[in-house]
């Protein structure tokens, strides 16, 4: 008889997820089976379930790309991991390994890339099938709960900060202090940067202060661009926009210092107007950044293993997923919700 597992399934875009008993998947040749211990809930899972983006996942699918668990079965030919290893199954589920981008260690933009919880079933389930060549290797000192948010929010923030090219002693703006942003503040401080946190919620900004932000700006009151320019003496050398709001993008470009770099990470559907003259005359770089490579992942996890970065999380059972999505949509999740699969 096939074994069954619990999973939260998107059956229709924009509708509540369905909790279903489904067959435990099997690891085929070159694959592994992971028993889920914890899985973070990223705002991307919400975009996925709403069908927000131009390329939509095929229905039905199981979201979740911050799944952490133990390897419980190896498909034929697997040598990259062994049974019992604790791994993370990330957004970058797999890539081709031989295109120009893979060869340049930019596997995140491989045209053949598969995405966990999007084009492949993800971590909102008791078991996940994964590609052993692309899983994250969780350092021994990190619990599943602490590791889960790092697998997407952590690596994405860390890579985005690197992409701003801001140097120690310079200013970075982190716009959006949610799952990604609360980690970005900590990575940026650990990297020697001055941090100006921007959000529309005073509670999130107070939290950013506790995490080490040197200045905070509420984008809902007054002129946030001017407030950032004042706080940073002329604009930030690097701006990292994690907010899932188009308004934050236009503001973020305005917050960028002359010759600075504004890195776009948040993915609200749509487009934002760019003040061409200002961008040109101030020699501003606007750059997209998409999760991180396996090497970025190892570095991002190492910061946490060394105690320099720690995800704040709230544990919830899988059965609470629709309520968690509802809260995420309204900005009511303090940092990261992590789904617990251990029944603790
Ligand atoms: P989240 O919901 O946890 O946090 C979003 C934060 O933005 C909240 O604190 C909210 O109050 C704040 N915010 C909302 N409107 C704002 C505004 N106008 N100005 C400033 N702050 C504002 O979301 P998250 O999980 O951190 O994800 C954020 C976004 O990043 C999503 O769009 C997600 O899809 C995207 N994302 C992108 C990548 C990538 O690789 N580029 C990876 C992961 C997530
Ligand atoms: Zn994510
Ligand atoms: Zn490739």
């Amino acid at each position: 008889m096939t074994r069954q597992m619990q999973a939260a399934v998107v059956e229709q875009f924009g509708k509540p997820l369905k909790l279903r008993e489904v067959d435990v998947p099997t690891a085929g040749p070159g694959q592994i089976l992971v028993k889920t211990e914890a899985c973070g809930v990223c705002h991307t899972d919400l975009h996925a379930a709403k069908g927000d983006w131009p390329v939509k996942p095929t229905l039905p699918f199981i979201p979740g790309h911050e799944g952490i668990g133990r390897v419980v079965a190896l498909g034929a030919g697997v040598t990259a991991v062994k049974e019992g290893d604790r791994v993370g199954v990330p957004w970058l589920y797999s890539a081709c390994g031989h295109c120009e981008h893979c060869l340049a260690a930019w596997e995140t933009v491989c045209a053949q890339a598969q995405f966990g919880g999007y084009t492949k079933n993800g971590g909102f389930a008791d078991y996940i099938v994964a590609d052993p060549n692309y899983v994250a290797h969780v350092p021994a000192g990190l619990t599943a709960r602490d590791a889960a948010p790092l697998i997407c929010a952590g690596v994405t923030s860390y890579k985005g900060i690197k992409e701003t090219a801001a140097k120690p002693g310079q200013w970075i703006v982190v716009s959006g202090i949610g799952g990604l942003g609360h980690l970005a503040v900590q990575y940026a401080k650990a990297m020697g940067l001055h941090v100006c946190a921007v959000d529309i919620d005073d509670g999130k900004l107070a939290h950013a202060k506790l995490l080490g932000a040197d200045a905070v700006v509420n984008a809902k009151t007054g002129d946030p661009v001017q407030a950032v320019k004042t706080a940073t003496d002329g604009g930030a050398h690097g701006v990292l926009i994690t907010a899932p709001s188009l308004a934050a993008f236009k503001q973020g470009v305005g917050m960028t210092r002359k010759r600075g770099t504004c890195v776009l990470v948040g993915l609200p559907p749509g487009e934002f107007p760019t003040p061409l003259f200002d961008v040109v005359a101030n020699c501003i770089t606007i750059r997209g950044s998409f999760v991180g490579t396996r090497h970025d992942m190892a570095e991002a996890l190492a910061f946490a293993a060394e105690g320099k970065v720690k995800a704040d999380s709230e544990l919830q059972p899988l059965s609470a997923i629709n309520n968690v999505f509802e809260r995420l949509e309204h900005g009511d999740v303090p940092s990261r919700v992590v789904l617990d699969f251990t029944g603790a």
Side-chain angles (χ1 to χ4, degrees):
M1 202 181 83
T2 7
R3 286 186 303 157
Q4 299 267 289
M5 67 173 186
Q6 270 255 307
V9 185
V10 178
E11 294 183 347
Q12 278 178 282
F13 293 121
K15 290 277 163 17
L17 276 64
K18 290 278 171 32
L19 283 172
R20 296 277 188 227
E21 290 282 322
V22 300
D23 289 349
V24 173
T26 1
Q31 296 180 322
I32 57 174
L33 186 67
V34 176
K35 168 80 190 72
T36 316
E37 293 175 357
C39 185
V41 182
C42 181
H43 207 110
T44 288
D45 297 313
L46 184 57
H47 293 307
K50 287 165 67 183
D52 269 349
W53 297 336
V55 182
K56 298 182 203 315
T58 306
L59 297 169
F61 70 98
I62 303 172
H65 54 272
E66 288 185 345
I68 305 287
R70 299 263 177 206
V71 178
V72 290
L74 304 179
V78 170
T79 54
V81 301
K82 53 186 192 316
E83 268 186 55
D85 283 358
R86 181 180 268 161
V87 297
V89 187
W91 176 257
L92 182 70
Y93 183 94
S94 64
C96 82
H98 51 74
C99 70
E100 63 172 300
H101 306 299
C102 284
L103 289 179
W106 271 93
E107 63 268 26
T108 43
V109 294
C110 172
Q112 304 301 318
Q114 299 292 320
F115 303 118
Y118 206 82
T119 65
K120 297 283 182 183
N121 281 330
F124 292 2
D126 291 318
Y127 291 88
I128 323 166
V129 166
D131 183 326
N133 296 313
Y134 289 86
V135 290
H137 299 270
V138 180
L142 286 183
T143 63
R145 174 186 186 166
D146 285 347
L150 304 173
I151 298 305
C152 176
V155 68
T156 303
S157 305
Y158 171 64
K159 174 69 160 189
I161 294 167
K162 286 205 289 187
E163 289 292 289
T164 69
K167 296 184 179 57
Q170 295 186 331
W171 278 99
I172 187 164
V173 159
V174 177
S175 171
I177 309 296
L180 269 61
H182 92 285
L183 289 166
V185 170
Q186 298 178 56
Y187 279 109
K189 288 309 296 178
M191 292 157 84
L193 297 162
H194 294 311
V195 176
C196 178
V198 178
D199 204 290
I200 50 171
D201 179 304
D202 283 330
K204 305 261 169 90
L205 293 172
H207 187 213
K209 272 251 168 208
L210 288 177
L211 296 172
D214 303 277
V216 296
V217 168
N218 189 324
K220 249 191 174 160
T221 51
D223 178 353
V225 172
Q226 195 47 54
V228 165
K229 282 188 170 160
T230 305
T232 60
D233 194 21
H237 304 82
V239 173
L240 180 74
I241 307 174
T242 79
S245 148
L246 290 174
F249 284 74
K250 180 155 188 273
Q251 289 166 0
V253 173
M255 291 167 182
T256 311
R257 203 182 191 89
K258 289 172 187 273
R259 299 190 59 230
T261 299
C262 181
V263 171
L264 317 183
V265 161
L267 278 165
E271 297 172 11
F272 73 98
T274 310
L276 197 48
F277 185 84
D278 293 345
V279 170
V280 171
N282 294 321
C283 297
I284 285 169
T285 302
I286 300 175
R287 178 178 283 177
S289 187
F290 197 43
V291 287
T293 65
R294 290 168 288 180
H295 197 239
D296 298 318
M297 179 76 82
E299 290 179 1
L301 286 165
F303 274 80
E306 289 169 19
K308 293 177 180 142
V309 166
K310 188 174 191 311
D312 280 316
S313 60
E314 171 191 316
L315 281 186
Q316 290 288 348
L318 180 66
S319 57
I321 187 62
N322 287 312
N323 177 260
V324 172
F325 269 9
E326 182 86 25
R327 288 169 57 206
L328 204 54
E329 175 105 61
H330 296 103
D332 290 339
V333 168
S335 299
R336 206 46 146 195
V337 166
V338 172
L339 302 173
D340 172 56
F341 290 84
T342 66

